[in-house]
Amino acid sequence: MRRCRPREIFFDLLDLSGKRVVDVGCGETDLAHRMAERGATAFGIDTKEDAIARAQAAKPDSGAIYRVGRAEKMPFDDASLDIVIFTNSLHHVAPELMAAAMDEAWRVLVPGGILMVADPLASGPRYELKTLIHEEADVRKAARAAG
């Protein structure tokens, strides 16, 4: 059986050509770059300016557009995006702002747009080891409830 990350499944299922897409909480990942390479107008937003700078610098010619922004107050017009993606990022939104982040995603999506939330459960050996330095079980549960 082939193991897939949520974004690999996403690439298999969706035609991104001509779509306007945002990776919310992009950090330094390459998801926006990869979406741009597949024909999307791809944005990445994150609250951290240094993460945005590093993501942009990684592939400056990919066509991806990076902006500082928050999940609960995205820097996009109403009904301006075809796809909004939260990949391993919703649990980083303060629990009291998660519902606002979901409302914001629906605000920026065109009618019939796609909202993808992939926030793994806080369980298993990887997460048990990680709890020694950073416990995320409660915020992940809140993210699951909000999504």
Side-chain angles (χ1 to χ4, degrees):
M1 180 172 149
R2 184 180 125 194
R3 289 185 61 174
C4 293
R5 293 181 174 179
R7 67 174 136 190
E8 300 308 323
I9 294 168
F10 171 76
F11 288 134
D12 287 346
L13 294 176
L14 296 176
D15 175 15
L16 296 172
S17 183
K19 300 289 194 285
R20 293 179 48 89
V21 186
V22 64
D23 177 15
V24 181
C26 64
E28 300 172 36
T29 66
D30 67 345
L31 183 57
H33 294 304
R34 293 179 66 200
M35 292 187 298
E37 290 167 351
R38 286 169 171 77
T41 300
F43 300 92
I45 65 169
D46 200 280
T47 60
K48 298 176 184 149
E49 289 183 33
D50 57 333
I52 291 293
R54 285 191 294 274
Q56 183 64 50
K59 288 187 179 179
D61 298 326
S62 74
I65 302 161
Y66 289 89
R67 298 179 179 170
V68 173
R70 303 188 67 79
E72 69 277 8
K73 189 167 173 52
M74 292 189 214
F76 302 104
D77 292 333
D78 293 356
S80 61
L81 300 173
D82 298 294
I83 304 170
V84 174
I85 303 169
F86 288 82
T87 304
N88 248 349
S89 59
L90 184 58
H91 73 276
H92 291 287
V93 175
E96 65 274 11
L97 297 175
M98 286 181 186
M102 292 292 94
D103 289 343
E104 186 70 352
W106 291 116
R107 179 190 69 79
V108 301
L109 278 169
V110 299
I114 296 170
L115 171 60
M116 176 186 153
V117 179
D119 221 68
L121 299 174
S123 64
R126 176 180 172 207
Y127 293 105
E128 289 170 14
L129 182 60
K130 194 174 180 182
T131 61
L132 297 172
I133 38 180
H134 184 65
E135 172 60 59
E136 293 184 337
D138 291 339
V139 292
R140 286 184 182 273
K141 285 179 189 173
R144 194 168 62 247

